[in-house]
């Protein structure tokens, strides 16, 4: 109304060079916000895809024929985020590809326990991999699985000193060369079931010791009968 320039659309370029359309608007100063080039378009500032107010149409969508999003600034992060408690949803597989690819999960509050949540078709948790611990304390990975009787419960935990199993650790029938519990640098001690019998084998150059600070007892599975009893600092008793 006062005759001042508030917005401009102009063409740049000459015969023999690329032509561009440049859109400028004023908010204190007259600044470029949109540019149409021979290779595409550039936005300076925020590109806002507004909500679709027409209920007969689908949600507002960005569709890319070339299927590529890149960050132009060298060594800069590409950020994708949802609003509030919203989530970024992907309806296809995710491939992380590179010379040394990593998937990183960083929490912003040390009081929280981040992780990966595996959901069933109805959206309920079927399994989780959680991270617990803070800088300066022991850090642990917790694996949870779902059962109808117990719900979501811990099954396996990796700690700073090793690992713990909550429940059953099951191995199929095996042999001295396959499906065994191996202990030692070269699996010298092997424990397995071969389909007919259970075996404990020392396969290295050493001996197999059964040791106890108290008694060593070999008996029936029901513990009701003793076959051999080695008494600490005493006799060895054999039973018929």
């Amino acid at each position: 109304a006062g005759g001042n320039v508030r917005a401009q659309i102009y063409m740049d370029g000459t015969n023999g060079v690329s032509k561009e359309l440049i859109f400028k608007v004023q908010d204190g100063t007259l600044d470029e916000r949109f540019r149409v080039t021979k290779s595409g378009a550039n936005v300076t500032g925020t590109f806002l895809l507004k909500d679709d107010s027409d209920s007969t149409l689908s949600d507002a969508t960005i569709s890319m024929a070339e299927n590529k999003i890149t960050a132009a600034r060298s060594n800069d992060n590409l950020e994708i985020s949802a609003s509030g408690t919203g989530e970024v949803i992907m309806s296809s597989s995710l491939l992380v590809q590179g010379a040394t690819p990593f998937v990183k999960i960083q929490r912003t509050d040390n009081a929280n326990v981040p992780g990966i949540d595996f959901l069933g078709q109805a959206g309920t948790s079927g399994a989780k991999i959680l991270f617990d611990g803070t800088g300066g304390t022991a850090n642990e990975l917790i694996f949870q699985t779902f059962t109808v009787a117990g719900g979501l419960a811990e099954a396996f935990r990796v700690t700073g000193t090793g690992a713990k199993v909550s429940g059953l650790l099951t191995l199929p029938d095996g042999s001295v060369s396959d499906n065994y519990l191996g202990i030692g640098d070269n699996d010298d001690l092997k424990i397995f079931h071969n389909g007919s019998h259970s075996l404990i084998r020392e396969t290295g150059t050493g001996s197999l010791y059964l040791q106890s600070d108290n008694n060593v007892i070999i008996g029936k599975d029901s513990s009701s009968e003793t076959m051999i009893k080695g008494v600490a600092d005493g006799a060895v008793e054999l039973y018929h």
Side-chain angles (χ1 to χ4, degrees):
N4 296 322
V5 176
R6 300 302 183 189
Q8 288 180 339
I9 303 175
Y10 60 93
M11 188 274 291
D12 192 17
T14 60
N15 188 34
V17 300
S18 298
K19 309 295 191 299
E20 298 180 346
L21 280 176
I22 302 170
F23 295 74
K24 290 185 176 183
V25 294
Q26 189 184 73
D27 185 11
T29 59
L30 199 64
D31 297 317
E32 177 183 334
R33 287 294 174 258
F34 188 66
R35 180 183 292 248
V36 181
T37 69
K38 183 179 179 180
S39 59
N42 301 329
V43 175
T44 303
T46 301
F47 178 70
L48 175 61
L49 191 65
K50 303 210 54 163
D51 293 336
D52 194 341
S53 59
D54 187 345
S55 61
T56 64
L57 300 176
S58 59
D59 290 337
T61 303
I62 297 177
S63 179
M64 298 179 298
E66 294 298 325
N67 302 327
K68 184 180 291 186
I69 300 176
T70 60
R73 290 187 297 187
S74 178
N75 300 320
D76 207 2
N77 295 330
L78 175 65
E79 298 185 13
I80 301 175
S81 62
S83 178
T85 59
E87 299 176 335
V88 177
I89 299 176
M90 306 182 68
S91 58
S92 59
S93 298
L94 174 64
L95 171 63
V96 180
Q97 191 176 50
T100 310
F102 269 92
V103 176
K104 298 181 180 181
I105 301 174
Q106 181 181 5
R107 62 188 172 190
T108 57
D109 187 341
N110 278 335
N112 295 330
V113 181
I116 302 174
D117 194 356
F118 299 90
L119 305 179
Q121 185 177 11
T124 57
S125 294
K128 288 183 178 180
I129 302 176
L130 305 174
F131 166 74
D132 194 15
T134 61
T137 65
N139 295 298
E140 300 180 343
L141 279 176
I142 304 168
F143 295 75
Q144 297 179 343
T145 56
F146 178 85
T147 61
V148 175
L152 200 63
E154 177 180 332
F156 186 67
R157 181 182 292 249
V158 181
T159 70
T161 57
K164 297 187 293 184
V165 175
S166 300
L168 303 177
L169 176 62
T170 304
L171 294 177
D173 290 342
S175 65
V176 72
S177 61
D178 188 31
N179 292 336
Y180 58 77
L181 176 62
I183 302 174
D185 290 342
N186 298 310
D187 292 347
D188 290 343
L189 174 61
K190 298 179 179 180
I191 304 174
F192 58 92
H193 188 274
N194 64 8
S196 300
H197 306 286
S198 299
L199 293 89
I200 302 175
R201 293 193 58 178
E202 164 59 48
T203 59
T205 58
S207 301
L208 177 64
Y209 288 82
L210 298 178
Q211 295 181 327
S212 172
D213 289 336
N214 296 301
N215 301 328
V216 176
I217 299 174
I218 299 176
K220 290 186 66 175
D221 178 58
S222 62
S223 300
S224 60
E225 295 184 20
T226 299
M227 302 173 185
I228 301 174
K229 180 178 182 181
V231 181
D233 300 321
V236 175
E237 304 172 358
L238 306 178
Y239 293 84
H240 185 273

mmCIF file of all heavy atoms in Angstrom, residues 155-178:
data_model
loop_
_atom_site.group_PDB
_atom_site.id
_atom_site.type_symbol
_atom_site.label_atom_id
_atom_site.label_comp_id
_atom_site.label_asym_id
_atom_site.label_seq_id
_atom_site.Cartn_x
_atom_site.Cartn_y
_atom_site.Cartn_z
ATOM 1 N N ALA A 155 14.890 -62.866 29.333
ATOM 2 C CA ALA A 155 15.347 -64.213 29.039
ATOM 3 C C ALA A 155 16.868 -64.308 29.021
ATOM 4 O O ALA A 155 17.427 -65.364 29.307
ATOM 5 C CB ALA A 155 14.786 -64.678 27.687
ATOM 6 N N PHE A 156 17.542 -63.193 28.682
ATOM 7 C CA PHE A 156 19.000 -63.226 28.535
ATOM 8 C C PHE A 156 19.545 -61.844 28.844
ATOM 9 O O PHE A 156 18.930 -60.830 28.503
ATOM 10 C CB PHE A 156 19.366 -63.641 27.103
ATOM 11 C CG PHE A 156 20.832 -63.842 26.862
ATOM 12 C CD1 PHE A 156 21.516 -64.868 27.463
ATOM 13 C CD2 PHE A 156 21.529 -62.992 26.017
ATOM 14 C CE1 PHE A 156 22.869 -65.062 27.234
ATOM 15 C CE2 PHE A 156 22.888 -63.166 25.782
ATOM 16 C CZ PHE A 156 23.552 -64.214 26.388
ATOM 17 N N ARG A 157 20.701 -61.782 29.529
ATOM 18 C CA ARG A 157 21.310 -60.504 29.892
ATOM 19 C C ARG A 157 22.820 -60.576 29.673
ATOM 20 O O ARG A 157 23.480 -61.507 30.149
ATOM 21 C CB ARG A 157 21.009 -60.168 31.354
ATOM 22 C CG ARG A 157 21.591 -58.832 31.824
ATOM 23 C CD ARG A 157 21.289 -58.597 33.295
ATOM 24 N NE ARG A 157 19.865 -58.391 33.526
ATOM 25 C CZ ARG A 157 19.325 -57.236 33.890
ATOM 26 N NH1 ARG A 157 20.094 -56.166 34.054
ATOM 27 N NH2 ARG A 157 18.031 -57.137 34.087
ATOM 28 N N VAL A 158 23.346 -59.609 28.951
ATOM 29 C CA VAL A 158 24.784 -59.489 28.745
ATOM 30 C C VAL A 158 25.299 -58.416 29.691
ATOM 31 O O VAL A 158 24.884 -57.259 29.612
ATOM 32 C CB VAL A 158 25.121 -59.119 27.288
ATOM 33 C CG1 VAL A 158 26.630 -59.025 27.105
ATOM 34 C CG2 VAL A 158 24.539 -60.141 26.325
ATOM 35 N N THR A 159 26.195 -58.785 30.604
ATOM 36 C CA THR A 159 26.711 -57.877 31.617
ATOM 37 C C THR A 159 28.186 -57.570 31.349
ATOM 38 O O THR A 159 28.791 -58.102 30.421
ATOM 39 C CB THR A 159 26.559 -58.493 33.017
ATOM 40 O OG1 THR A 159 27.479 -59.594 33.145
ATOM 41 C CG2 THR A 159 25.136 -59.005 33.235
ATOM 42 N N GLY A 160 28.751 -56.726 32.198
ATOM 43 C CA GLY A 160 30.160 -56.403 32.060
ATOM 44 C C GLY A 160 31.070 -57.558 32.406
ATOM 45 O O GLY A 160 32.254 -57.556 32.035
ATOM 46 N N THR A 161 30.572 -58.554 33.114
ATOM 47 C CA THR A 161 31.398 -59.706 33.509
ATOM 48 C C THR A 161 31.042 -60.984 32.767
ATOM 49 O O THR A 161 31.684 -62.003 32.966
ATOM 50 C CB THR A 161 31.246 -59.961 35.019
ATOM 51 O OG1 THR A 161 29.856 -60.178 35.327
ATOM 52 C CG2 THR A 161 31.749 -58.771 35.813
ATOM 53 N N GLY A 162 30.021 -60.970 31.916
ATOM 54 C CA GLY A 162 29.633 -62.188 31.199
ATOM 55 C C GLY A 162 28.194 -62.126 30.727
ATOM 56 O O GLY A 162 27.744 -61.116 30.202
ATOM 57 N N ALA A 163 27.459 -63.210 30.969
ATOM 58 C CA ALA A 163 26.069 -63.285 30.520
ATOM 59 C C ALA A 163 25.271 -64.153 31.474
ATOM 60 O O ALA A 163 25.814 -65.046 32.142
ATOM 61 C CB ALA A 163 25.995 -63.848 29.104
ATOM 62 N N LYS A 164 23.951 -63.878 31.550
ATOM 63 C CA LYS A 164 23.053 -64.652 32.404
ATOM 64 C C LYS A 164 21.824 -65.060 31.607
ATOM 65 O O LYS A 164 21.282 -64.276 30.826
ATOM 66 C CB LYS A 164 22.624 -63.833 33.625
ATOM 67 C CG LYS A 164 23.765 -63.449 34.559
ATOM 68 C CD LYS A 164 23.252 -62.788 35.825
ATOM 69 C CE LYS A 164 22.619 -61.446 35.542
ATOM 70 N NZ LYS A 164 22.206 -60.742 36.789
ATOM 71 N N VAL A 165 21.382 -66.304 31.815
ATOM 72 C CA VAL A 165 20.183 -66.824 31.170
ATOM 73 C C VAL A 165 19.103 -66.974 32.230
ATOM 74 O O VAL A 165 19.344 -67.550 33.292
ATOM 75 C CB VAL A 165 20.445 -68.184 30.493
ATOM 76 C CG1 VAL A 165 19.151 -68.758 29.930
ATOM 77 C CG2 VAL A 165 21.479 -68.032 29.388
ATOM 78 N N SER A 166 17.917 -66.427 31.959
ATOM 79 C CA SER A 166 16.769 -66.618 32.842
ATOM 80 C C SER A 166 15.833 -67.619 32.177
ATOM 81 O O SER A 166 15.139 -67.286 31.222
ATOM 82 C CB SER A 166 16.046 -65.285 33.086
ATOM 83 O OG SER A 166 16.895 -64.340 33.688
ATOM 84 N N GLY A 167 15.837 -68.849 32.660
ATOM 85 C CA GLY A 167 15.041 -69.894 32.029
ATOM 86 C C GLY A 167 15.925 -71.030 31.545
ATOM 87 O O GLY A 167 16.905 -71.391 32.201
ATOM 88 N N LEU A 168 15.626 -71.577 30.386
ATOM 89 C CA LEU A 168 16.308 -72.746 29.865
ATOM 90 C C LEU A 168 17.281 -72.371 28.754
ATOM 91 O O LEU A 168 16.959 -71.569 27.878
ATOM 92 C CB LEU A 168 15.297 -73.761 29.318
ATOM 93 C CG LEU A 168 14.222 -74.256 30.290
ATOM 94 C CD1 LEU A 168 13.255 -75.190 29.570
ATOM 95 C CD2 LEU A 168 14.858 -74.959 31.478
ATOM 96 N N LEU A 169 18.476 -72.953 28.804
ATOM 97 C CA LEU A 169 19.426 -72.887 27.697
ATOM 98 C C LEU A 169 19.428 -74.262 27.043
ATOM 99 O O LEU A 169 19.886 -75.236 27.640
ATOM 100 C CB LEU A 169 20.818 -72.523 28.196
ATOM 101 C CG LEU A 169 21.932 -72.516 27.142
ATOM 102 C CD1 LEU A 169 21.641 -71.468 26.075
ATOM 103 C CD2 LEU A 169 23.286 -72.264 27.777
ATOM 104 N N THR A 170 18.899 -74.354 25.840
ATOM 105 C CA THR A 170 18.658 -75.641 25.197
ATOM 106 C C THR A 170 19.554 -75.827 23.993
ATOM 107 O O THR A 170 19.672 -74.930 23.150
ATOM 108 C CB THR A 170 17.185 -75.752 24.752
ATOM 109 O OG1 THR A 170 16.343 -75.547 25.894
ATOM 110 C CG2 THR A 170 16.908 -77.126 24.156
ATOM 111 N N LEU A 171 20.198 -77.021 23.918
ATOM 112 C CA LEU A 171 20.979 -77.412 22.753
ATOM 113 C C LEU A 171 20.371 -78.679 22.169
ATOM 114 O O LEU A 171 19.935 -79.566 22.910
ATOM 115 C CB LEU A 171 22.439 -77.682 23.130
ATOM 116 C CG LEU A 171 23.272 -76.484 23.623
ATOM 117 C CD1 LEU A 171 24.664 -76.952 24.030
ATOM 118 C CD2 LEU A 171 23.376 -75.425 22.544
ATOM 119 N N PRO A 172 20.344 -78.816 20.854
ATOM 120 C CA PRO A 172 19.834 -80.046 20.256
ATOM 121 C C PRO A 172 20.826 -81.190 20.435
ATOM 122 O O PRO A 172 21.946 -81.001 20.923
ATOM 123 C CB PRO A 172 19.675 -79.680 18.769
ATOM 124 C CG PRO A 172 20.667 -78.584 18.549
ATOM 125 C CD PRO A 172 20.718 -77.818 19.841
ATOM 126 N N ASP A 173 20.415 -82.411 20.050
ATOM 127 C CA ASP A 173 21.324 -83.550 20.108
ATOM 128 C C ASP A 173 22.602 -83.229 19.348
ATOM 129 O O ASP A 173 22.575 -82.605 18.280
ATOM 130 C CB ASP A 173 20.664 -84.795 19.504
ATOM 131 C CG ASP A 173 19.532 -85.314 20.388
ATOM 132 O OD1 ASP A 173 19.502 -84.945 21.577
ATOM 133 O OD2 ASP A 173 18.688 -86.075 19.883
ATOM 134 N N GLY A 174 23.740 -83.668 19.919
ATOM 135 C CA GLY A 174 25.015 -83.331 19.312
ATOM 136 C C GLY A 174 26.008 -84.469 19.386
ATOM 137 O O GLY A 174 25.662 -85.639 19.610
ATOM 138 N N SER A 175 27.260 -84.097 19.199
ATOM 139 C CA SER A 175 28.355 -85.048 19.213
ATOM 140 C C SER A 175 29.603 -84.317 19.669
ATOM 141 O O SER A 175 29.545 -83.149 20.046
ATOM 142 C CB SER A 175 28.562 -85.650 17.820
ATOM 143 O OG SER A 175 28.984 -84.644 16.913
ATOM 144 N N VAL A 176 30.735 -84.985 19.603
ATOM 145 C CA VAL A 176 31.978 -84.370 20.017
ATOM 146 C C VAL A 176 32.398 -83.247 19.067
ATOM 147 O O VAL A 176 33.262 -82.431 19.387
ATOM 148 C CB VAL A 176 33.095 -85.436 20.128
ATOM 149 C CG1 VAL A 176 33.511 -85.913 18.737
ATOM 150 C CG2 VAL A 176 34.284 -84.920 20.913
ATOM 151 N N SER A 177 31.763 -83.181 17.902
ATOM 152 C CA SER A 177 32.137 -82.167 16.915
ATOM 153 C C SER A 177 31.007 -81.190 16.583
ATOM 154 O O SER A 177 31.214 -80.258 15.802
ATOM 155 C CB SER A 177 32.604 -82.848 15.615
ATOM 156 O OG SER A 177 31.559 -83.638 15.066
ATOM 157 N N ASP A 178 29.807 -81.370 17.166
ATOM 158 C CA ASP A 178 28.683 -80.519 16.773
ATOM 159 C C ASP A 178 27.656 -80.453 17.899
ATOM 160 O O ASP A 178 27.424 -81.445 18.602
ATOM 161 C CB ASP A 178 28.045 -81.074 15.495
ATOM 162 C CG ASP A 178 26.997 -80.132 14.928
ATOM 163 O OD1 ASP A 178 27.152 -78.917 15.102
ATOM 164 O OD2 ASP A 178 26.023 -80.612 14.330
#
